Amino acid sequence: MIRSILMLICTLFIASGWMELQAIASPAAMSADLIQTLIDKAQDGDTVRIPPGSYEGRILINRPIQLDGGGAVTLRNTDQKSTVEITAKGVALKGLIVVHEARDKNAAVSVSSDEVRINSLDIRTGGYGILLRKADRGIVANTKIEWLEDANAAAAKTKIVRHNGIDLFNSHLNVIQGNTVSNMNDGIYLESSNGNTVINNAIDHHGR
């Protein structure tokens, strides 16, 4: 639900197999339920453009749509579940800032379906960056993944468990290209995954 102090003016267009949302949104944080509602109402093949702003919570993409944040959408999640979960074949996701604050074994983005295209995300995570599980023939490109520092843990000198930036298991024939991974455990990790193309990625651990 949108907080009572917010005003959102939306116009929905549906034509020729695509959907576009145009909106004027308050800069205050909104619930990710708004994004989930747009996903749930979309038809297969639609393009859903999220209104600019900051959202709190997590979303499930369970139909083949294109979800576009336009580089002006921040999705922040503190739950012990992945912030973006993709379960439908053929999903395209781009232009989001994803902040996964939970210190867990989940991910900012988890994918368990084929032919998923992830492009131009900015991910800051206390768990994994992107998880691919039984996900074939997908693309992860032009995405930035960075470990989300925990100031309290650092001050208390608590042991910090870092996870991997892009982690593939039983996922084949994917293209991992043009990504930047900073201060994670392994930048890109592949296990029981064959025929993947990994090119032109940058990995650094300058803060460790």
mmCIF file of all heavy atoms in Angstrom, residues 149-160:
data_model
loop_
_atom_site.group_PDB
_atom_site.id
_atom_site.type_symbol
_atom_site.label_atom_id
_atom_site.label_comp_id
_atom_site.label_asym_id
_atom_site.label_seq_id
_atom_site.Cartn_x
_atom_site.Cartn_y
_atom_site.Cartn_z
ATOM 1 N N GLU A 149 28.322 -2.646 2.561
ATOM 2 C CA GLU A 149 29.037 -2.652 3.830
ATOM 3 C C GLU A 149 28.072 -2.528 5.012
ATOM 4 O O GLU A 149 27.057 -1.835 4.938
ATOM 5 C CB GLU A 149 30.047 -1.502 3.881
ATOM 6 C CG GLU A 149 31.151 -1.598 2.836
ATOM 7 C CD GLU A 149 32.110 -2.748 3.079
ATOM 8 O OE1 GLU A 149 32.100 -3.303 4.197
ATOM 9 O OE2 GLU A 149 32.870 -3.077 2.157
ATOM 10 N N ASP A 150 28.430 -3.190 6.100
ATOM 11 C CA ASP A 150 27.668 -3.130 7.352
ATOM 12 C C ASP A 150 28.508 -2.370 8.359
ATOM 13 O O ASP A 150 29.461 -2.906 8.936
ATOM 14 C CB ASP A 150 27.362 -4.550 7.849
ATOM 15 C CG ASP A 150 26.447 -4.553 9.071
ATOM 16 O OD1 ASP A 150 26.389 -3.533 9.772
ATOM 17 O OD2 ASP A 150 25.799 -5.588 9.315
ATOM 18 N N ALA A 151 28.164 -1.110 8.570
ATOM 19 C CA ALA A 151 28.962 -0.256 9.455
ATOM 20 C C ALA A 151 28.979 -0.782 10.879
ATOM 21 O O ALA A 151 30.001 -0.717 11.573
ATOM 22 C CB ALA A 151 28.427 1.172 9.420
ATOM 23 N N ASN A 152 27.858 -1.336 11.352
ATOM 24 C CA ASN A 152 27.796 -1.856 12.719
ATOM 25 C C ASN A 152 28.706 -3.055 12.895
ATOM 26 O O ASN A 152 29.413 -3.181 13.903
ATOM 27 C CB ASN A 152 26.356 -2.237 13.066
ATOM 28 C CG ASN A 152 25.448 -1.035 13.149
ATOM 29 O OD1 ASN A 152 25.879 0.064 13.501
ATOM 30 N ND2 ASN A 152 24.177 -1.219 12.813
ATOM 31 N N ALA A 153 28.712 -3.951 11.912
ATOM 32 C CA ALA A 153 29.570 -5.134 11.987
ATOM 33 C C ALA A 153 31.041 -4.742 11.936
ATOM 34 O O ALA A 153 31.883 -5.305 12.644
ATOM 35 C CB ALA A 153 29.238 -6.102 10.859
ATOM 36 N N ALA A 154 31.349 -3.754 11.101
ATOM 37 C CA ALA A 154 32.732 -3.301 11.003
ATOM 38 C C ALA A 154 33.195 -2.678 12.302
ATOM 39 O O ALA A 154 34.319 -2.919 12.773
ATOM 40 C CB ALA A 154 32.864 -2.316 9.848
ATOM 41 N N ALA A 155 32.335 -1.879 12.923
ATOM 42 C CA ALA A 155 32.696 -1.229 14.185
ATOM 43 C C ALA A 155 32.885 -2.251 15.302
ATOM 44 O O ALA A 155 33.747 -2.088 16.170
ATOM 45 C CB ALA A 155 31.623 -0.215 14.569
ATOM 46 N N ALA A 156 32.075 -3.312 15.288
ATOM 47 C CA ALA A 156 32.156 -4.349 16.313
ATOM 48 C C ALA A 156 33.192 -5.409 15.973
ATOM 49 O O ALA A 156 33.390 -6.356 16.743
ATOM 50 C CB ALA A 156 30.792 -5.002 16.496
ATOM 51 N N LYS A 157 33.833 -5.258 14.825
ATOM 52 C CA LYS A 157 34.835 -6.205 14.333
ATOM 53 C C LYS A 157 34.247 -7.613 14.226
ATOM 54 O O LYS A 157 34.912 -8.608 14.501
ATOM 55 C CB LYS A 157 36.077 -6.192 15.232
ATOM 56 C CG LYS A 157 36.792 -4.848 15.249
ATOM 57 C CD LYS A 157 38.058 -4.876 16.078
ATOM 58 C CE LYS A 157 38.757 -3.528 16.032
ATOM 59 N NZ LYS A 157 40.013 -3.517 16.843
ATOM 60 N N THR A 158 32.976 -7.665 13.832
ATOM 61 C CA THR A 158 32.309 -8.942 13.618
ATOM 62 C C THR A 158 32.773 -9.539 12.295
ATOM 63 O O THR A 158 32.957 -8.825 11.312
ATOM 64 C CB THR A 158 30.774 -8.744 13.574
ATOM 65 O OG1 THR A 158 30.365 -8.142 14.797
ATOM 66 C CG2 THR A 158 30.050 -10.068 13.373
ATOM 67 N N LYS A 159 32.943 -10.860 12.276
ATOM 68 C CA LYS A 159 33.347 -11.521 11.038
ATOM 69 C C LYS A 159 32.275 -11.335 9.976
ATOM 70 O O LYS A 159 31.096 -11.567 10.222
ATOM 71 C CB LYS A 159 33.582 -13.014 11.276
ATOM 72 C CG LYS A 159 34.059 -13.749 10.032
ATOM 73 C CD LYS A 159 34.309 -15.219 10.302
ATOM 74 C CE LYS A 159 34.774 -15.929 9.033
ATOM 75 N NZ LYS A 159 35.017 -17.374 9.261
ATOM 76 N N ILE A 160 32.698 -10.908 8.807
ATOM 77 C CA ILE A 160 31.775 -10.645 7.714
ATOM 78 C C ILE A 160 31.858 -11.776 6.694
ATOM 79 O O ILE A 160 32.946 -12.116 6.218
ATOM 80 C CB ILE A 160 32.101 -9.307 7.036
ATOM 81 C CG1 ILE A 160 31.924 -8.154 8.036
ATOM 82 C CG2 ILE A 160 31.211 -9.087 5.813
ATOM 83 C CD1 ILE A 160 32.368 -6.814 7.505
#
